[in-house]
């Protein structure tokens, strides 16, 4: 069942500082480095950067299912370190990777997250290797705690991953405290396939990183 959110444009939205999440994908299927918030389909201020400057972050060839909703995958530059930067005043407490490998079947080069937020991992101690091969409806799901960082890095080893990234974050210096943010009513709108649409489009839509239905 797809997650449905009600659009509340230009209104204050109450959030819990300890439970806010942002899903980073590539709804516009762009090739760029870095990817900004609009390109990620995420709240303003999020940025994803490949730290290998001669590489780009490309769209993966498929839609990864996250909690019943489909998001355009990001193709990570294999083995390169990447960095997620959060909006001003916010810090990350957890990152969850929804990952499938850019291969049709297993190879000798097993893939796993070798570094997350400055901590290195082996295939045995980071929730295991990634064993989903172009199975976009059933990605591997792996979560890592982040020690309240304004930005954090990650990289893989082995075969190339296709990924959608979910970041749990809150206001710096607060935890579990309600606050308010204002939705950007002029933010771009995408359909469920990650294609940018007009403001009067109907159906399941995405704006400000949230999903809603317009009839």
């Amino acid at each position: 069942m797809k997650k449905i959110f009600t659009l509340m444009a230009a209104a204050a939205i109450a959030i819990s500082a300890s439970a806010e999440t942002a899903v980073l994908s590539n709804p516009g299927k762009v090739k760029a480095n870095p990817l900004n918030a609009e390109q990620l389909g995420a709240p303003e201020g999020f940025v994803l950067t490949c730290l290998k400057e001669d590489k780009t972050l490309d769209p993966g060839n498929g839609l990864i299912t996250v909690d019943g909703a489909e998001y355009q995958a990001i193709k990570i530059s294999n083995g390169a370190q990447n960095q997620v930067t959060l909006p001003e005043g916010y810090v990350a407490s957890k990152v969850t990777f929804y990952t499938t490998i850019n291969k049709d079947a297993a190879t000798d080069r097993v893939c796993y997250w070798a570094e997350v937020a400055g901590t290195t991992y082996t295939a045995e101690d980071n929730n295991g290797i990634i064993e989903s091969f172009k199975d976009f409806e059933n990605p591997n799901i792996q979560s890592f705690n982040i020690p309240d960082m304004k930005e954090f890095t990650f990289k893989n080893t082995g075969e190339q991953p296709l990924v959608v990234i979910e970041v749990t974050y809150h206001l710096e210096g607060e935890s579990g405290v309600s606050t308010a943010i204002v939705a950007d009513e002029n933010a771009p709108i995408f359909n469920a396939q990650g294609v940018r649409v007009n403001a009067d489009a109907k159906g399941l839509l995405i704006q400000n990183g949230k999903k809603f239905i317009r009839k």
Side-chain angles (χ1 to χ4, degrees), residues 2-3 14 25 41-42 57 61 80 123 125 127 148 158 181 186 201-202:
K2 292 184 182 294
K3 284 186 175 180
S25 60
L57 293 157
N61 186 25
D125 63 14
N127 305 321
D148 288 356
I181 60 174
N186 296 315
K202 309 295 184 183

Side-chain angles (χ1 to χ4, degrees), residues 88-154:
E88 183 70 25
Y90 286 86
V91 292
S93 58
K94 185 174 74 172
V95 60
T96 301
F97 299 105
Y98 295 81
T99 314
T100 190
I101 301 303
N102 194 25
K103 291 286 184 180
D104 293 321
T107 72
D108 291 336
R109 298 200 312 162
V110 298
C111 180
Y112 60 91
W113 298 110
E115 182 269 328
V116 180
T119 299
T120 57
Y121 296 95
T122 68
E124 290 73 31
D125 63 14
N126 78 343
N127 305 321
I129 64 174
I130 298 167
E131 297 178 325
S132 172
F133 297 92
K134 289 188 177 177
D135 187 354
F136 295 93
E137 293 184 358
N138 297 287
N140 275 85
I141 304 173
Q142 295 161 294
S143 295
F144 298 85
N145 291 328
I146 307 293
D148 288 356
M149 301 174 75
K150 297 178 182 179
E151 56 188 25
F152 63 89
T153 57
F154 67 92

Side-chain angles (χ1 to χ4, degrees), residues 10-199:
I13 303 174
I15 63 172
S16 172
S18 63
E20 187 72 359
T21 60
V23 177
L24 313 185
S25 60
N26 193 340
K29 296 184 179 181
V30 300
K31 294 183 179 181
N33 186 32
L35 294 176
N36 61 31
E38 178 178 342
Q39 294 163 334
L40 293 166
E44 184 176 357
F46 274 93
V47 179
L48 175 61
T49 306
C50 177
L51 298 181
K52 194 170 183 179
E53 294 182 356
D54 61 336
K55 298 294 184 179
T56 58
L57 293 157
D58 298 344
N61 186 25
L63 300 174
I64 291 179
T65 300
V66 177
D67 293 335
E70 294 179 328
Y71 296 86
Q72 176 63 48
I74 303 169
K75 184 164 64 176
I76 298 297
S77 182
N78 199 28
Q81 192 173 52
N82 304 278
Q83 179 174 281
V84 174
T85 302
L86 276 75
E88 183 70 25
Y90 286 86
V91 292
S93 58
K94 185 174 74 172
V95 60
T96 301
F97 299 105
Y98 295 81
T99 314
T100 190
I101 301 303
N102 194 25
K103 291 286 184 180
D104 293 321
T107 72
D108 291 336
R109 298 200 312 162
V110 298
C111 180
Y112 60 91
W113 298 110
E115 182 269 328
V116 180
T119 299
T120 57
Y121 296 95
T122 68
E124 290 73 31
D125 63 14
N126 78 343
N127 305 321
I129 64 174
I130 298 167
E131 297 178 325
S132 172
F133 297 92
K134 289 188 177 177
D135 187 354
F136 295 93
E137 293 184 358
N138 297 287
N140 275 85
I141 304 173
Q142 295 161 294
S143 295
F144 298 85
N145 291 328
I146 307 293
D148 288 356
M149 301 174 75
K150 297 178 182 179
E151 56 188 25
F152 63 89
T153 57
F154 67 92
K155 70 176 179 180
N156 78 294
T157 191
E159 296 293 352
Q160 184 178 54
L162 307 175
V163 66
V164 169
I165 305 166
E166 184 178 72
V167 180
T168 302
Y169 66 105
H170 58 82
L171 280 171
E172 185 177 9
E174 298 186 12
S175 180
V177 179
S178 293
T179 183
I181 60 174
V182 177
D184 180 4
E185 63 179 334
N186 296 315
I189 300 174
F190 301 92
N191 64 19
Q193 288 70 48
V195 178
R196 188 166 179 171
V197 296
N198 294 329

